[in-house]
Amino acid sequence: MQTDLLDRLLVTLAVRVRSFSVCRIQQGWRLDFSPFDAITIHYVLRGSGSLQVGDGPWQSFSPHSIIIVPSRQRHVLGEADDFVGEARAEDHCALHADGLVRFTAGDGSPDTLLVCGQIADTHTGALGLFELFQGPIVEDFAANAILQASFELMLAEVASPGVGTQAMTEVLMKQCLILLLRQHLTAEAISSPLMTAFREPKLAPAVIAILETPGAAFTVESLATLSGMSRAAFAERFSDVFHQGPMEFVQQVRLRIAARLLGGTALPVKVIATTIGYASRSAFSRAFEAMYAVSPSNYRRFGGQEEAEPEPVDQSNPA
């Protein structure tokens, strides 16, 4: 069941990790980040140290670790004890290359070197996936040969930046993120604040059905039946676990798949609308524009690059 859910989930996972910085931390120093209105992901290319989010405990990281920090929380990277200095990231920022900036702590020595990205705070690109955790994640992938290769490529790009460095690092970041999601969803031993919701055995049949056949004529009643629950109990449990109603989730899945089809195929808008379950092109266009702040035609015209991030809106009445 979990493998089926993972496959469907990754098909609809169209979140983009936007690389934005390289961090260079001298041994014994700390780099202090003010809260961002976005989830921050750090990829540790070299060195080791610790992470503190807010006033929480320090968590160790090492080379080939991935660090995920929730939005709107201050965090510190570097030396946990006996530090010799601390630098505010925004006060020690310079252009690195190809749209990336560089944050430094200390004299700029890359004793610890990280490349960092962000996921927009709306989270709707990942179907609310990253909204489900409030604490940080530090995951060590030193034993994963595939990710080791990705980290080495990121290190090479950062060491000799040029045209295309930002695009290349974003591709590698996305690959690493998907492998992290795979590990958290399939490894029962991991106590994952990210994937607890997707391990709900009663809700899983309904979630799989939505991801597998988003164009079906779902209702709360039909989804509750798939899960073997009453309508009221299903709706309450789904909202508690996913922080949104079941029909909101259906609409997010439909519109995310539509965005991928608009950006990656030449299918007519009307065909896309019908395929994902809308009765008319006009109904689909209204829903799409409400979520993306741009019409389907203009979204396609701009190459599906999501000029505007999805806005959190009332999506409780999908067509």
Side-chain angles (χ1 to χ4, degrees):
M1 179 69 76
Q2 294 303 323
T3 301
D4 289 343
L5 181 54
L6 175 65
D7 290 343
R8 276 47 170 202
L9 179 63
L10 292 183
V11 166
T12 53
L13 180 62
V15 67
R16 181 183 177 191
V17 183
R18 291 177 170 85
S19 62
F20 76 101
S21 74
V22 174
C23 297
R24 301 161 66 99
I25 305 174
Q26 183 183 0
Q27 186 174 358
W29 278 75
R30 292 178 177 176
L31 189 58
D32 187 342
F33 292 87
S34 297
F36 290 113
D37 285 332
I39 290 169
T40 302
I41 307 180
H42 300 285
Y43 298 79
V44 185
L45 306 182
R46 177 190 299 150
S48 58
S50 298
L51 162 78
Q52 183 184 43
V53 176
D55 296 322
W58 288 91
Q59 299 182 55
S60 299
F61 62 80
S62 55
H64 299 161
S65 292
I66 297 177
I67 301 167
I68 303 181
V69 181
S71 62
R72 301 187 182 93
Q73 296 192 34
R74 169 185 170 270
H75 65 284
V76 180
L77 296 170
E79 186 67 45
D81 301 306
D82 300 324
F83 64 99
V84 298
E86 181 169 303
R88 286 168 50 89
E90 58 264 42
D91 295 335
H92 296 80
C93 177
L95 183 64
H96 185 68
D98 194 39
L100 297 176
V101 297
R102 181 174 63 250
F103 297 115
T104 59
D107 63 7
S109 301
D111 298 321
T112 299
L113 181 66
L114 308 94
V115 62
C116 314
Q118 290 184 335
I119 298 174
D121 191 45
T122 55
H123 314 302
T124 51
L127 306 176
L129 196 63
F130 295 96
E131 215 169 33
L132 301 175
F133 80 103
Q134 299 300 317
I137 292 175
V138 179
E139 197 78 36
D140 183 358
F141 287 97
N144 188 306
I146 296 175
L147 278 182
Q148 282 189 29
S150 296
F151 275 81
E152 292 304 318
L153 286 172
M154 282 192 278
L155 179 59
E157 286 291 334
V158 169
S160 301
V163 175
T165 288
Q166 186 174 37
M168 177 64 79
T169 55
E170 287 179 357
V171 169
L172 295 168
M173 285 177 172
K174 176 69 176 288
Q175 179 192 50
C176 294
L177 180 60
I178 288 176
L179 289 173
L180 181 145
L181 294 177
R182 177 182 292 166
Q183 178 163 312
H184 273 245
L185 188 59
T186 58
E188 295 294 335
I190 295 177
S191 178
S192 170
L194 191 61
M195 291 300 181
T196 300
F198 289 93
R199 292 199 180 104
E200 283 285 321
K202 288 188 176 181
L203 299 182
V207 174
I208 289 174
I210 294 167
L211 296 175
E212 187 174 39
T213 57
F218 292 116
T219 64
V220 177
E221 288 83 357
S222 68
L223 292 171
T225 299
L226 287 173
S227 296
M229 303 171 69
S230 70
R231 183 189 189 283
F234 172 78
E236 181 179 5
R237 186 57 184 156
F238 196 100
S239 296
D240 287 344
V241 171
F242 289 97
H243 301 171
Q244 60 183 316
M247 299 314 295
E248 291 178 280
F249 186 83
V250 170
Q251 177 131 306
Q252 285 193 16
V253 171
R254 288 175 173 175
L255 294 178
R256 174 52 62 180
I257 292 175
R260 295 191 66 185
L261 292 173
L262 287 166
T265 75
L267 287 172
V269 174
K270 183 177 180 179
V271 172
I272 292 174
T274 302
T275 300
I276 63 171
Y278 284 85
S280 67
R281 172 174 173 161
S282 59
F284 163 65
S285 295
R286 286 194 301 271
F288 191 91
E289 189 161 357
M291 183 170 175
Y292 286 95
V294 64
S295 70
S297 297
N298 283 336
Y299 184 94
R300 169 169 280 169
R301 188 172 296 121
F302 289 121
Q305 295 182 19
E306 301 180 53
E307 296 291 322
E309 288 292 337
E311 296 289 340
V313 295
D314 182 5
Q315 300 169 344
S316 57
N317 295 303

